[in-house]
PDB file of all heavy atoms in Angstrom:
ATOM      1  N   GLN A   1      -1.774   5.133  -5.318  1.00  0.00           N
ATOM      2  CA  GLN A   1      -2.447   6.421  -5.333  1.00  0.00           C
ATOM      3  C   GLN A   1      -1.532   7.516  -5.843  1.00  0.00           C
ATOM      4  O   GLN A   1      -1.934   8.372  -6.641  1.00  0.00           O
ATOM      5  CB  GLN A   1      -2.958   6.767  -3.933  1.00  0.00           C
ATOM      6  CG  GLN A   1      -3.865   7.988  -3.887  1.00  0.00           C
ATOM      7  CD  GLN A   1      -5.137   7.793  -4.690  1.00  0.00           C
ATOM      8  OE1 GLN A   1      -5.694   6.692  -4.732  1.00  0.00           O
ATOM      9  NE2 GLN A   1      -5.599   8.848  -5.337  1.00  0.00           N
ATOM     10  N   ALA A   2      -0.276   7.515  -5.391  1.00  0.00           N
ATOM     11  CA  ALA A   2       0.674   8.535  -5.835  1.00  0.00           C
ATOM     12  C   ALA A   2       0.985   8.406  -7.323  1.00  0.00           C
ATOM     13  O   ALA A   2       1.141   9.416  -8.025  1.00  0.00           O
ATOM     14  CB  ALA A   2       1.960   8.437  -5.023  1.00  0.00           C
ATOM     15  N   ALA A   3       1.058   7.169  -7.830  1.00  0.00           N
ATOM     16  CA  ALA A   3       1.311   6.968  -9.259  1.00  0.00           C
ATOM     17  C   ALA A   3       0.167   7.525 -10.093  1.00  0.00           C
ATOM     18  O   ALA A   3       0.382   8.062 -11.190  1.00  0.00           O
ATOM     19  CB  ALA A   3       1.517   5.486  -9.548  1.00  0.00           C
ATOM     20  N   LYS A   4      -1.045   7.410  -9.566  1.00  0.00           N
ATOM     21  CA  LYS A   4      -2.211   7.951 -10.263  1.00  0.00           C
ATOM     22  C   LYS A   4      -2.202   9.477 -10.242  1.00  0.00           C
ATOM     23  O   LYS A   4      -2.508  10.136 -11.252  1.00  0.00           O
ATOM     24  CB  LYS A   4      -3.484   7.418  -9.620  1.00  0.00           C
ATOM     25  CG  LYS A   4      -4.769   7.968 -10.232  1.00  0.00           C
ATOM     26  CD  LYS A   4      -5.989   7.421  -9.499  1.00  0.00           C
ATOM     27  CE  LYS A   4      -7.275   8.011 -10.077  1.00  0.00           C
ATOM     28  NZ  LYS A   4      -8.476   7.522  -9.347  1.00  0.00           N
ATOM     29  N   GLU A   5      -1.873  10.060  -9.089  1.00  0.00           N
ATOM     30  CA  GLU A   5      -1.925  11.515  -8.924  1.00  0.00           C
ATOM     31  C   GLU A   5      -0.724  12.227  -9.531  1.00  0.00           C
ATOM     32  O   GLU A   5      -0.818  13.390  -9.913  1.00  0.00           O
ATOM     33  CB  GLU A   5      -2.018  11.855  -7.437  1.00  0.00           C
ATOM     34  CG  GLU A   5      -3.307  11.391  -6.783  1.00  0.00           C
ATOM     35  CD  GLU A   5      -3.334  11.647  -5.288  1.00  0.00           C
ATOM     36  OE1 GLU A   5      -2.288  12.073  -4.737  1.00  0.00           O
ATOM     37  OE2 GLU A   5      -4.395  11.414  -4.662  1.00  0.00           O
ATOM     38  N   HIS A   6       0.422  11.548  -9.619  1.00  0.00           N
ATOM     39  CA  HIS A   6       1.654  12.185 -10.102  1.00  0.00           C
ATOM     40  C   HIS A   6       2.338  11.316 -11.156  1.00  0.00           C
ATOM     41  O   HIS A   6       3.451  10.817 -10.959  1.00  0.00           O
ATOM     42  CB  HIS A   6       2.622  12.426  -8.935  1.00  0.00           C
ATOM     43  CG  HIS A   6       2.105  13.328  -7.872  1.00  0.00           C
ATOM     44  ND1 HIS A   6       2.052  14.700  -8.025  1.00  0.00           N
ATOM     45  CD2 HIS A   6       1.605  13.049  -6.635  1.00  0.00           C
ATOM     46  CE1 HIS A   6       1.553  15.234  -6.921  1.00  0.00           C
ATOM     47  NE2 HIS A   6       1.272  14.272  -6.077  1.00  0.00           N
ATOM     48  N   PRO A   7       1.705  11.134 -12.307  1.00  0.00           N
ATOM     49  CA  PRO A   7       2.335  10.303 -13.348  1.00  0.00           C
ATOM     50  C   PRO A   7       3.653  10.890 -13.830  1.00  0.00           C
ATOM     51  O   PRO A   7       4.506  10.155 -14.353  1.00  0.00           O
ATOM     52  CB  PRO A   7       1.277  10.282 -14.456  1.00  0.00           C
ATOM     53  CG  PRO A   7       0.436  11.504 -14.218  1.00  0.00           C
ATOM     54  CD  PRO A   7       0.404  11.678 -12.743  1.00  0.00           C
ATOM     55  N   GLU A   8       3.830  12.197 -13.657  1.00  0.00           N
ATOM     56  CA  GLU A   8       5.058  12.846 -14.120  1.00  0.00           C
ATOM     57  C   GLU A   8       6.283  12.439 -13.310  1.00  0.00           C
ATOM     58  O   GLU A   8       7.434  12.639 -13.764  1.00  0.00           O
ATOM     59  CB  GLU A   8       4.894  14.377 -14.061  1.00  0.00           C
ATOM     60  CG  GLU A   8       4.984  15.010 -12.671  1.00  0.00           C
ATOM     61  CD  GLU A   8       3.713  14.857 -11.837  1.00  0.00           C
ATOM     62  OE1 GLU A   8       2.746  14.242 -12.341  1.00  0.00           O
ATOM     63  OE2 GLU A   8       3.696  15.358 -10.705  1.00  0.00           O
ATOM     64  N   LEU A   9       6.088  11.858 -12.133  1.00  0.00           N
ATOM     65  CA  LEU A   9       7.224  11.502 -11.272  1.00  0.00           C
ATOM     66  C   LEU A   9       7.901  10.207 -11.698  1.00  0.00           C
ATOM     67  O   LEU A   9       9.026   9.934 -11.276  1.00  0.00           O
ATOM     68  CB  LEU A   9       6.767  11.380  -9.813  1.00  0.00           C
ATOM     69  CG  LEU A   9       6.208  12.644  -9.159  1.00  0.00           C
ATOM     70  CD1 LEU A   9       5.846  12.365  -7.710  1.00  0.00           C
ATOM     71  CD2 LEU A   9       7.208  13.793  -9.252  1.00  0.00           C
ATOM     72  N   GLY A  10       7.217   9.397 -12.489  1.00  0.00           N
ATOM     73  CA  GLY A  10       7.806   8.125 -12.911  1.00  0.00           C
ATOM     74  C   GLY A  10       8.051   7.187 -11.735  1.00  0.00           C
ATOM     75  O   GLY A  10       9.099   6.545 -11.649  1.00  0.00           O
ATOM     76  N   LEU A  11       7.089   7.090 -10.837  1.00  0.00           N
ATOM     77  CA  LEU A  11       7.241   6.222  -9.669  1.00  0.00           C
ATOM     78  C   LEU A  11       7.261   4.761 -10.085  1.00  0.00           C
ATOM     79  O   LEU A  11       6.526   4.341 -10.982  1.00  0.00           O
ATOM     80  CB  LEU A  11       6.099   6.464  -8.678  1.00  0.00           C
ATOM     81  CG  LEU A  11       6.054   7.850  -8.027  1.00  0.00           C
ATOM     82  CD1 LEU A  11       4.777   8.003  -7.220  1.00  0.00           C
ATOM     83  CD2 LEU A  11       7.276   8.073  -7.149  1.00  0.00           C
ATOM     84  N   ARG A  12       8.092   3.983  -9.420  1.00  0.00           N
ATOM     85  CA  ARG A  12       8.166   2.550  -9.676  1.00  0.00           C
ATOM     86  C   ARG A  12       8.168   1.804  -8.350  1.00  0.00           C
ATOM     87  O   ARG A  12       8.788   2.232  -7.382  1.00  0.00           O
ATOM     88  CB  ARG A  12       9.433   2.193 -10.464  1.00  0.00           C
ATOM     89  CG  ARG A  12       9.511   2.823 -11.846  1.00  0.00           C
ATOM     90  CD  ARG A  12       8.414   2.287 -12.775  1.00  0.00           C
ATOM     91  NE  ARG A  12       8.469   0.856 -12.972  1.00  0.00           N
ATOM     92  CZ  ARG A  12       9.177   0.270 -13.930  1.00  0.00           C
ATOM     93  NH1 ARG A  12       9.917   1.006 -14.758  1.00  0.00           N
ATOM     94  NH2 ARG A  12       9.166  -1.049 -14.059  1.00  0.00           N
ATOM     95  N   VAL A  13       7.509   0.660  -8.340  1.00  0.00           N
ATOM     96  CA  VAL A  13       7.435  -0.187  -7.154  1.00  0.00           C
ATOM     97  C   VAL A  13       8.252  -1.447  -7.385  1.00  0.00           C
ATOM     98  O   VAL A  13       8.235  -2.024  -8.477  1.00  0.00           O
ATOM     99  CB  VAL A  13       5.968  -0.553  -6.843  1.00  0.00           C
ATOM    100  CG1 VAL A  13       5.878  -1.773  -5.948  1.00  0.00           C
ATOM    101  CG2 VAL A  13       5.276   0.612  -6.150  1.00  0.00           C
ATOM    102  N   ILE A  14       8.965  -1.873  -6.337  1.00  0.00           N
ATOM    103  CA  ILE A  14       9.698  -3.134  -6.369  1.00  0.00           C
ATOM    104  C   ILE A  14       9.168  -3.994  -5.230  1.00  0.00           C
ATOM    105  O   ILE A  14       9.153  -3.562  -4.077  1.00  0.00           O
ATOM    106  CB  ILE A  14      11.215  -2.918  -6.220  1.00  0.00           C
ATOM    107  CG1 ILE A  14      11.730  -1.999  -7.329  1.00  0.00           C
ATOM    108  CG2 ILE A  14      11.951  -4.263  -6.252  1.00  0.00           C
ATOM    109  CD1 ILE A  14      13.189  -1.597  -7.175  1.00  0.00           C
ATOM    110  N   TYR A  15       8.722  -5.207  -5.562  1.00  0.00           N
ATOM    111  CA  TYR A  15       8.160  -6.112  -4.572  1.00  0.00           C
ATOM    112  C   TYR A  15       9.265  -7.030  -4.043  1.00  0.00           C
ATOM    113  O   TYR A  15       9.898  -7.746  -4.819  1.00  0.00           O
ATOM    114  CB  TYR A  15       7.065  -6.978  -5.187  1.00  0.00           C
ATOM    115  CG  TYR A  15       5.840  -6.207  -5.617  1.00  0.00           C
ATOM    116  CD1 TYR A  15       5.789  -5.586  -6.861  1.00  0.00           C
ATOM    117  CD2 TYR A  15       4.736  -6.095  -4.774  1.00  0.00           C
ATOM    118  CE1 TYR A  15       4.663  -4.880  -7.261  1.00  0.00           C
ATOM    119  CE2 TYR A  15       3.605  -5.393  -5.173  1.00  0.00           C
ATOM    120  CZ  TYR A  15       3.576  -4.781  -6.417  1.00  0.00           C
ATOM    121  OH  TYR A  15       2.468  -4.077  -6.812  1.00  0.00           O
ATOM    122  N   PRO A  16       9.503  -7.017  -2.731  1.00  0.00           N
ATOM    123  CA  PRO A  16      10.419  -8.030  -2.194  1.00  0.00           C
ATOM    124  C   PRO A  16       9.837  -9.417  -2.432  1.00  0.00           C
ATOM    125  O   PRO A  16       8.621  -9.579  -2.531  1.00  0.00           O
ATOM    126  CB  PRO A  16      10.492  -7.697  -0.693  1.00  0.00           C
ATOM    127  CG  PRO A  16       9.301  -6.853  -0.412  1.00  0.00           C
ATOM    128  CD  PRO A  16       8.916  -6.170  -1.688  1.00  0.00           C
ATOM    129  N   ASN A  17      10.687 -10.399  -2.553  1.00  0.00           N
ATOM    130  CA  ASN A  17      10.226 -11.746  -2.854  1.00  0.00           C
ATOM    131  C   ASN A  17      10.777 -12.725  -1.806  1.00  0.00           C
ATOM    132  O   ASN A  17      11.967 -12.994  -1.795  1.00  0.00           O
ATOM    133  CB  ASN A  17      10.701 -12.165  -4.248  1.00  0.00           C
ATOM    134  CG  ASN A  17      10.190 -13.543  -4.638  1.00  0.00           C
ATOM    135  OD1 ASN A  17       9.163 -13.992  -4.148  1.00  0.00           O
ATOM    136  ND2 ASN A  17      10.924 -14.232  -5.508  1.00  0.00           N
ATOM    137  N   PRO A  18       9.881 -13.210  -0.945  1.00  0.00           N
ATOM    138  CA  PRO A  18       8.431 -13.023  -0.851  1.00  0.00           C
ATOM    139  C   PRO A  18       8.062 -11.662  -0.266  1.00  0.00           C
ATOM    140  O   PRO A  18       8.927 -10.949   0.247  1.00  0.00           O
ATOM    141  CB  PRO A  18       7.991 -14.162   0.078  1.00  0.00           C
ATOM    142  CG  PRO A  18       9.186 -14.416   0.921  1.00  0.00           C
ATOM    143  CD  PRO A  18      10.376 -14.194   0.043  1.00  0.00           C
ATOM    144  N   THR A  19       6.764 -11.312  -0.341  1.00  0.00           N
ATOM    145  CA  THR A  19       6.297  -9.970   0.005  1.00  0.00           C
ATOM    146  C   THR A  19       5.487  -9.985   1.303  1.00  0.00           C
ATOM    147  O   THR A  19       4.544 -10.763   1.427  1.00  0.00           O
ATOM    148  CB  THR A  19       5.402  -9.423  -1.119  1.00  0.00           C
ATOM    149  OG1 THR A  19       6.110  -9.482  -2.359  1.00  0.00           O
ATOM    150  CG2 THR A  19       5.004  -7.978  -0.834  1.00  0.00           C
ATOM    151  N   PRO A  20       5.832  -9.123   2.260  1.00  0.00           N
ATOM    152  CA  PRO A  20       5.002  -9.003   3.469  1.00  0.00           C
ATOM    153  C   PRO A  20       3.752  -8.182   3.194  1.00  0.00           C
ATOM    154  O   PRO A  20       3.715  -7.376   2.269  1.00  0.00           O
ATOM    155  CB  PRO A  20       5.929  -8.281   4.465  1.00  0.00           C
ATOM    156  CG  PRO A  20       6.842  -7.478   3.604  1.00  0.00           C
ATOM    157  CD  PRO A  20       7.026  -8.256   2.319  1.00  0.00           C
ATOM    158  N   PHE A  21       2.732  -8.388   4.017  1.00  0.00           N
ATOM    159  CA  PHE A  21       1.467  -7.665   3.879  1.00  0.00           C
ATOM    160  C   PHE A  21       1.139  -6.920   5.171  1.00  0.00           C
ATOM    161  O   PHE A  21       1.448  -7.385   6.266  1.00  0.00           O
ATOM    162  CB  PHE A  21       0.316  -8.625   3.570  1.00  0.00           C
ATOM    163  CG  PHE A  21       0.121  -8.896   2.111  1.00  0.00           C
ATOM    164  CD1 PHE A  21       1.051  -9.638   1.397  1.00  0.00           C
ATOM    165  CD2 PHE A  21      -0.989  -8.416   1.431  1.00  0.00           C
ATOM    166  CE1 PHE A  21       0.881  -9.894   0.048  1.00  0.00           C
ATOM    167  CE2 PHE A  21      -1.171  -8.667   0.082  1.00  0.00           C
ATOM    168  CZ  PHE A  21      -0.235  -9.398  -0.614  1.00  0.00           C
ATOM    169  N   ALA A  22       0.506  -5.764   5.004  1.00  0.00           N
ATOM    170  CA  ALA A  22      -0.094  -5.045   6.128  1.00  0.00           C
ATOM    171  C   ALA A  22      -1.588  -5.271   6.070  1.00  0.00           C
ATOM    172  O   ALA A  22      -2.208  -5.091   5.017  1.00  0.00           O
ATOM    173  CB  ALA A  22       0.218  -3.556   6.041  1.00  0.00           C
ATOM    174  N   MET A  23      -2.175  -5.666   7.199  1.00  0.00           N
ATOM    175  CA  MET A  23      -3.604  -5.956   7.242  1.00  0.00           C
ATOM    176  C   MET A  23      -4.327  -4.897   8.061  1.00  0.00           C
ATOM    177  O   MET A  23      -3.817  -4.426   9.075  1.00  0.00           O
ATOM    178  CB  MET A  23      -3.836  -7.340   7.828  1.00  0.00           C
ATOM    179  CG  MET A  23      -3.357  -8.442   6.914  1.00  0.00           C
ATOM    180  SD  MET A  23      -3.532 -10.056   7.703  1.00  0.00           S
ATOM    181  CE  MET A  23      -2.387  -9.862   9.056  1.00  0.00           C
ATOM    182  N   HIS A  24      -5.522  -4.550   7.606  1.00  0.00           N
ATOM    183  CA  HIS A  24      -6.294  -3.486   8.235  1.00  0.00           C
ATOM    184  C   HIS A  24      -7.455  -4.110   9.010  1.00  0.00           C
ATOM    185  O   HIS A  24      -8.411  -4.608   8.437  1.00  0.00           O
ATOM    186  CB  HIS A  24      -6.777  -2.494   7.176  1.00  0.00           C
ATOM    187  CG  HIS A  24      -5.638  -1.821   6.481  1.00  0.00           C
ATOM    188  ND1 HIS A  24      -4.917  -0.803   7.049  1.00  0.00           N
ATOM    189  CD2 HIS A  24      -5.068  -2.061   5.280  1.00  0.00           C
ATOM    190  CE1 HIS A  24      -3.962  -0.411   6.222  1.00  0.00           C
ATOM    191  NE2 HIS A  24      -4.032  -1.167   5.140  1.00  0.00           N
ATOM    192  N   ARG A  25      -7.324  -4.040  10.313  1.00  0.00           N
ATOM    193  CA  ARG A  25      -8.253  -4.674  11.242  1.00  0.00           C
ATOM    194  C   ARG A  25      -9.114  -3.608  11.917  1.00  0.00           C
ATOM    195  O   ARG A  25      -8.660  -2.486  12.149  1.00  0.00           O
ATOM    196  CB  ARG A  25      -7.447  -5.444  12.292  1.00  0.00           C
ATOM    197  CG  ARG A  25      -8.241  -6.138  13.376  1.00  0.00           C
ATOM    198  CD  ARG A  25      -7.276  -6.781  14.368  1.00  0.00           C
ATOM    199  NE  ARG A  25      -7.963  -7.497  15.436  1.00  0.00           N
ATOM    200  CZ  ARG A  25      -7.342  -8.071  16.466  1.00  0.00           C
ATOM    201  NH1 ARG A  25      -6.016  -8.003  16.554  1.00  0.00           N
ATOM    202  NH2 ARG A  25      -8.028  -8.702  17.408  1.00  0.00           N
ATOM    203  N   ILE A  26     -10.340  -3.956  12.252  1.00  0.00           N
ATOM    204  CA  ILE A  26     -11.213  -3.057  12.997  1.00  0.00           C
ATOM    205  C   ILE A  26     -11.976  -3.866  14.040  1.00  0.00           C
ATOM    206  O   ILE A  26     -12.308  -5.034  13.802  1.00  0.00           O
ATOM    207  CB  ILE A  26     -12.192  -2.306  12.065  1.00  0.00           C
ATOM    208  CG1 ILE A  26     -12.934  -1.212  12.833  1.00  0.00           C
ATOM    209  CG2 ILE A  26     -13.150  -3.254  11.369  1.00  0.00           C
ATOM    210  CD1 ILE A  26     -13.687  -0.239  11.938  1.00  0.00           C
ATOM    211  N   CYS A  27     -12.209  -3.268  15.203  1.00  0.00           N
ATOM    212  CA  CYS A  27     -12.890  -3.997  16.262  1.00  0.00           C
ATOM    213  C   CYS A  27     -13.725  -3.047  17.112  1.00  0.00           C
ATOM    214  O   CYS A  27     -13.448  -1.846  17.202  1.00  0.00           O
ATOM    215  CB  CYS A  27     -11.889  -4.744  17.140  1.00  0.00           C
ATOM    216  SG  CYS A  27     -10.502  -3.737  17.687  1.00  0.00           S
ATOM    217  N   LEU A  28     -14.749  -3.599  17.728  1.00  0.00           N
ATOM    218  CA  LEU A  28     -15.586  -2.868  18.671  1.00  0.00           C
ATOM    219  C   LEU A  28     -14.911  -2.883  20.032  1.00  0.00           C
ATOM    220  O   LEU A  28     -14.457  -3.936  20.496  1.00  0.00           O
ATOM    221  CB  LEU A  28     -16.954  -3.533  18.769  1.00  0.00           C
ATOM    222  CG  LEU A  28     -17.935  -2.910  19.766  1.00  0.00           C
ATOM    223  CD1 LEU A  28     -18.511  -1.616  19.196  1.00  0.00           C
ATOM    224  CD2 LEU A  28     -19.059  -3.899  20.103  1.00  0.00           C
ATOM    225  N   LEU A  29     -14.823  -1.719  20.688  1.00  0.00           N
ATOM    226  CA  LEU A  29     -14.287  -1.628  22.041  1.00  0.00           C
ATOM    227  C   LEU A  29     -15.455  -1.611  23.026  1.00  0.00           C
ATOM    228  O   LEU A  29     -16.351  -0.770  22.922  1.00  0.00           O
ATOM    229  CB  LEU A  29     -13.449  -0.359  22.202  1.00  0.00           C
ATOM    230  CG  LEU A  29     -12.223  -0.233  21.284  1.00  0.00           C
ATOM    231  CD1 LEU A  29     -11.458   1.040  21.620  1.00  0.00           C
ATOM    232  CD2 LEU A  29     -11.323  -1.458  21.397  1.00  0.00           C
ATOM    233  N   GLU A  30     -15.427  -2.533  23.969  1.00  0.00           N
ATOM    234  CA  GLU A  30     -16.506  -2.626  24.939  1.00  0.00           C
ATOM    235  C   GLU A  30     -16.456  -1.450  25.911  1.00  0.00           C
ATOM    236  O   GLU A  30     -15.381  -0.962  26.267  1.00  0.00           O
ATOM    237  CB  GLU A  30     -16.419  -3.940  25.714  1.00  0.00           C
ATOM    238  CG  GLU A  30     -16.605  -5.180  24.854  1.00  0.00           C
ATOM    239  CD  GLU A  30     -18.017  -5.307  24.301  1.00  0.00           C
ATOM    240  OE1 GLU A  30     -18.898  -4.521  24.703  1.00  0.00           O
ATOM    241  OE2 GLU A  30     -18.237  -6.198  23.457  1.00  0.00           O
TER     242      GLU A  30
END
C-alpha cells in the first residue's frame, strides 16, 4: 500500500527465506 501511495520514496521489500506469514482470523464470540 505504501509503495502505491508513495512511489517517490523508492520503497523496497526483502523477503526472508523462508518467509513467515501473518494470518487474519475472525470468530463469533458467544
Side-chain angles (χ1 to χ4, degrees):
Q1 189 63 36
K4 177 182 178 182
E5 295 176 353
H6 299 283
E8 76 282 0
L9 298 182
L11 295 173
R12 298 294 301 271
V13 161
I14 302 173
Y15 294 85
N17 183 25
T19 305
F21 272 70
M23 291 175 296
H24 298 283
R25 178 183 181 184
I26 189 168
C27 49
L28 178 76
L29 299 183
E30 296 293 352

